[in-house]
Structures are given as structure tokens and as C-alpha cells.
Amino acid sequence: MKTTEQISSVYANVTRQFDKAADLMGLDPNIRKILSKTTNEIVVNFPVRMDDGHIKMFIGYRVQHNNILGPYKGGLRFHPAVNIDEIRALATWMTWKGAITNIPFGGGKGGIQIDPFKFSKAELERITRRFTYALGNNIGPEYDVPAPDVNTNSRIMAWILDTYLSTLPPSERARSTHVVTGKPVEVGGSLGRDKATGQGVVFTIEEWAKDRKFDISKSTYFVQGFGNVGSWVARLMKKDYGATLLAVEDVTGAIYGKDGIDPEKLTAYVRDKGGVVGFPGTEAIDHETFLGTQADIFIPSALENQITARTAPLLNVRMIAEGANGPTTPEGDEYLQAKGIDLIPDILCNSGGVVVSYFEWLQNKRSERWSLKEVDAKLRKKIVEAYADIREVAGEYDTDWRTAANIKALKTIELVYQERGIYP
Ligand code: NAD
């Protein structure tokens, strides 16, 4: 993903989105002041012993944007580009996500500035555990609940769980397993959490298709990022609808398959080889060619700031489903709106992850285990309701869907502040 244009910071984008929605709805100016700041920003520098015996220092973050609706909730990202600005932005989006899906969670996000592929498994485990220890009681099952994000997975969540529980008095451990979600099913994870974000993306595409009388089974799509979100969306679009995957890009490069790419086989290939490049039956293409793929739907599922003033004109699609957080800049948005390209905004499109995290949290609190069928049905209901709410707000304010989603979130939160008031 090379870029030569100047792009504003991710948090600056969040602020512009927020201002647009707040202006349009006339958000209470006092509540606006509160929501335009993060509540807590925890920065930890922590030492970890490497395999060869030397000590290396790492920097990690946890930003807690707002918890008026419930415990801070949001993923942990392990990536070299992690910085406070990005984590602030991601934490803010989490607050809006909890609000539009009507779950009792606020917004948080965290991460470590690290390239996890440069460390052994044992080193990664010690880094994760020491980070968890450094965060201490800044996280907690009723206070701030992390989950997986870029380059983190259920195994990393299991290490966090184990470390956190080890710091508690023995009598409190069994009832604190909801300190983290996205755990392996064997250690208290929920069935369906692994695919939840991708599944939620597909549910939003289904709703859009109903509105547009669009036949998904005949559709073509391409995906940027082939990790948890991208690979699940790709597989479900094929398995449930028979749609055709044309191109995929990940950190190793981009591929195009003129007769379609089998997402199941590609998933197995990526597991084995570590990236999509070289997948049999496909040709390697460059980034610009990838973005220009002629298809019905583009599903960005990697990082922020991908659809910009420069790259939006390259797109040849009818609709964009934002699996990733923040893939489109405000300038990118303006271009897409002018061209009449539909967009399902990130906080709605990828909210399946946090919704099923909420289900996992509930199951842990109640010592229950729900079936996959139950999880999927409850997820679908949440997504369909949120989609309908945002459609209504978009109509009411005659605005784009991102702004409508933000307005929906802000209205929900505004009401709670108005009822509760500000102490003292
Ligand atoms: P992941 O680590 O599983 O996968 C990330 C993918 O992006 C990988 O295929 C990687 O190769 C690719 N990628 C990284 N850098 C790239 C680059 N420069 N160009 C092209 N591809 C690149 O991460 P994930 O959990 O799938 O998260 C992806 C996005 O979805 C992020 O924006 C994340 O915040 C968002 N998201 C994730 C979840 C979740 O439940 N995991 C929930 C909601 C939103």
C-alpha cells in the first residue's frame, strides 16, 4: 500500500467525522466537549527478556475513550505503526460501535508498537504477558475488556487471560474470565467469535442487497487484507452466496484470478505460506491495479487510510463494505458520495466482532455456553436492527451513512448524559 499523498492523521479523521455529525444533529455543546476527548490514555514502557538473554524495551498503549454505556471495550493491535493517535481514533470508533449496536459497552483500544513476525513464539508470549502485567488493573472484566485486532488472535487472548487471572486472589479467578474476549472456545470463548466480524460484514451486505434489489449470488468482490476479517468475509460470501472473489491483497502483495479465487483454498495457502502471493491460478498485480479491479463490491479489511482523494478515483465498484476500521479518509468519502458509490461504514459494517464479544462476555458472566446457531441468530438480529436504525437516520437527516451512523451513536450517548447529568 504505497502512498505519496499527504494524509491527515487517523484521529484527525475521527474528529472531522464527529464534527460533521455533531453539527448536523445539533449535539448538546457540553456533551460535545466530553466526547471530543478520550477519558484515559495509558502508556506503558515495559521490559521483556529475549530468547538470547538480553532485555528489550517495548511501548504499549490502552486508550479508554468513554464508558458511559458500559465497560471500555476494544481490541489490542500488535503492529509497528501503532501509535497514540491511531489508538485514540480506534478507541473513539469503539464507543460509537457499542452505541449503534445497543450493547452495554463503551470504547477502548490498545496495542503494542511491534512487528510480531520478528519474534519467536516464546518471546511473543512473554511480551504479551508482560504487557498485561504492566496494564494491571487498568483492564478488568467489569471495567475494560480487550479483544483481538490486527496481528492478535485467540491464543494471545488466552495468554492475557491467564496472566490477568494469575494476578488476582485465587477466589476471584473463576468469576473473572470475561476480562478478555475472543478467547479460544476451550477456555471460555464463544462459538462464532472467530468468524463474527466477517459474518457481521456479510449480514450488512445482505441488508444492503435487499434495499438495492441486488443479487449477491451473481456478484463479484475483492478483499484487502486476508486475516481474520478478510478471510472470513471472503469465505462466507462464497459459501453462503456463491459470489465470486476476484482479487486479494495482503501485506505480501496482491493477486488477481480472472476465473475467481477459491477463498477456502486461499485460507489454507495463507496459513501454510504466510501470504496470498503465489497462490496457484492467480497472477500478481500491483496495488493500483488491485484497487482498480472491476467488481461489484470492495471489502477493505486491513488498515486505515486506504481510500483517499488519490485512490478513490481508481475504484471500479458499486459498493464498499468497510471490514477494516477507518479505511476511508474524509476526502475519500467525499469522492465516493459524489460518484454515488454506496458505502457501509466501518462502525456498522464490522460491528459483528464487538457484538459477539458481548455475547462471549455474557456467557462467561452467566456460566453459559450458547450454540453457534444461537450466536449467529442473535448477531443477525443486532446487525439488522442497527442497519435499519441507520437507514432511518440517513433518511431523516438526508445524509451519508457514515454521518448517519455517527448521529445515531451520538444521540444514544447524549440521552444517557442528559439523564445522568455531570457530577458534582
Ligand atoms: P489480521 O491481523 O487478522 O489481518 C490483517 C490483514 O491485513 C492481513 O492479511 C495482513 O497481511 C493485511 N495487511 C497488513 N498490512 C497490509 C498492507 N500494508 N497492505 C495490505 N494488506 C495488509 O487483522 P484483522 O483482525 O482481520 O483486522 C483487520 C481490520 O479489521 C482492522 O482494521 C481491524 O481493526 C478491523 N476489525 C477487526 C475485528 C476483529 O474482530 N478482528 C473487528 C472489527 C474490526
Side-chain angles (χ1 to χ4, degrees):
M1 283 191 260
K2 56 182 182 222
T3 137
T4 45
E5 69 181 316
Q6 281 296 324
I7 298 176
S8 47
S9 84
V10 193
Y11 190 65
N13 293 345
V14 167
T15 304
R16 281 171 66 185
Q17 295 168 355
F18 172 72
D19 285 343
K20 185 175 176 189
D23 286 345
L24 191 58
M25 68 174 278
L27 177 66
D28 179 319
N30 287 320
I31 296 167
R32 186 171 178 151
K33 283 182 211 157
I34 299 170
L35 294 175
S36 65
K37 298 277 183 213
T38 57
T39 304
N40 301 306
E41 299 189 344
I42 300 125
V43 182
V44 289
N45 290 290
F46 56 98
V48 180
R49 190 174 301 282
M50 298 291 100
D51 289 344
D52 67 3
H54 83 280
I55 296 289
K56 197 171 159 52
M57 291 300 292
F58 293 88
I59 184 163
Y61 304 92
R62 186 71 184 170
V63 173
Q64 297 164 337
H65 173 255
N66 187 279
N67 65 350
I68 192 91
L69 298 180
Y72 301 109
K73 185 84 191 80
L76 290 176
R77 178 174 290 198
F78 289 4
H79 194 276
V82 159
N83 61 65
I84 191 76
D85 177 276
E86 180 191 52
I87 299 294
R88 239 176 232 154
L90 291 161
T92 310
W93 282 321
M94 289 308 299
T95 304
W96 311 154
K97 238 180 257 186
I100 62 167
T101 49
N102 196 21
I103 55 178
F105 281 146
K109 202 84 177 191
I112 307 177
Q113 195 182 81
I114 178 189
D115 181 349
F117 300 103
K118 293 200 170 133
F119 296 88
S120 70
K121 185 181 164 199
E123 286 170 336
L124 210 54
E125 176 173 351
R126 287 196 295 276
I127 292 164
T128 304
R129 288 183 181 279
R130 187 66 199 223
F131 176 50
T132 310
Y133 177 79
L135 287 176
N137 60 9
N138 289 300
I139 61 170
E142 307 293 332
Y143 179 61
D144 184 348
V145 184
D149 193 74
V150 175
N151 293 336
T152 57
N153 53 27
S154 58
R155 184 169 70 195
I156 289 175
M157 297 307 116
W159 291 333
I160 295 173
L161 172 78
D162 185 70
T163 308
Y164 179 80
L165 294 186
S166 303
T167 64
L168 296 181
S171 61
E172 286 175 25
R173 292 177 191 162
R175 60 175 153 93
S176 303
T177 57
H178 51 304
V179 63
V180 65
T181 59
K183 301 180 288 289
V185 173
E186 301 74 23
V187 292
S190 176
L191 290 170
R193 175 61 185 89
D194 197 25
K195 67 163 181 152
T197 308
Q199 182 67 74
V201 172
V202 173
F203 287 155
T204 64
I205 295 174
E206 278 178 18
E207 292 309 291
W208 170 82
K210 279 185 216 155
D211 278 353
R212 295 291 185 190
K213 308 212 173 354
F214 176 85
D215 183 355
I216 305 179
S217 70
K218 294 198 177 69
S219 70
T220 51
Y221 62 106
F222 67 110
V223 178
Q224 183 187 50
F226 206 73
N228 175 283
V229 180
S231 74
W232 273 113
V233 179
R235 281 178 277 174
L236 293 168
M237 287 287 283
K238 172 85 183 166
K239 184 168 94 47
D240 295 349
Y241 280 100
T244 304
L245 174 64
L246 288 179
V248 180
E249 183 182 59
D250 73 0
V251 73
T252 64
I255 56 169
Y256 178 79
K258 67 176 177 7
D259 300 322
I261 298 169
D262 182 332
E264 280 301 341
K265 287 191 179 142
L266 182 61
T267 303
Y269 180 86
V270 169
R271 209 173 288 136
D272 189 34
K273 309 275 186 200
V276 299
V277 170
F279 183 63
T282 63
E283 55 176 303
I285 52 173
D286 65 28
H287 178 58
E288 276 71 20
T289 311
F290 167 78
L291 287 177
T293 302
Q294 173 98 46
D296 296 307
I297 303 170
F298 174 38
I299 309 166
S301 306
L303 298 173
E304 303 91 7
N305 286 350
Q306 296 304 305
I307 303 172
T308 64
R310 184 182 70 85
T311 60
L314 301 174
L315 297 172
N316 264 308
V317 293
R318 181 168 173 180
M319 193 271 265
I320 294 164
E322 293 186 327
N325 286 306
T328 311
T329 64
E331 294 79 11
D333 268 334
E334 278 167 25
Y335 182 89
L336 299 177
Q337 284 155 29
K339 285 282 170 189
I341 297 173
D342 287 348
L343 180 139
I344 307 176
D346 46 10
I347 61 169
L348 169 64
C349 193
N350 69 39
S351 62
V354 73
V355 168
V356 177
S357 273
Y358 167 54
F359 297 159
E360 177 175 333
W361 187 78
L362 274 183
Q363 289 171 73
N364 294 160
K365 273 166 80 90
R366 301 175 180 170
S367 302
E368 288 178 2
R369 296 263 176 174
W370 301 355
S371 70
L372 181 58
K373 207 169 151 205
E374 194 175 353
V375 170
D376 279 349
K378 286 181 153 76
L379 171 62
R380 182 192 286 273
K381 185 165 181 292
K382 280 277 184 212
I383 298 279
V384 169
E385 282 170 4
Y387 193 99
D389 286 347
I390 291 163
R391 184 204 290 118
E392 193 181 315
V393 176
E396 188 186 335
Y397 286 88
D398 189 22
T399 189
D400 63 278
W401 276 58
R402 189 184 312 288
T403 306
N406 286 335
I407 289 177
K408 171 72 192 155
L410 294 177
K411 275 181 174 281
T412 303
I413 296 166
E414 182 180 48
L415 216 58
V416 180
Y417 271 108
Q418 281 166 346
E419 292 292 335
R420 278 176 58 162
I422 302 293
Y423 173 84

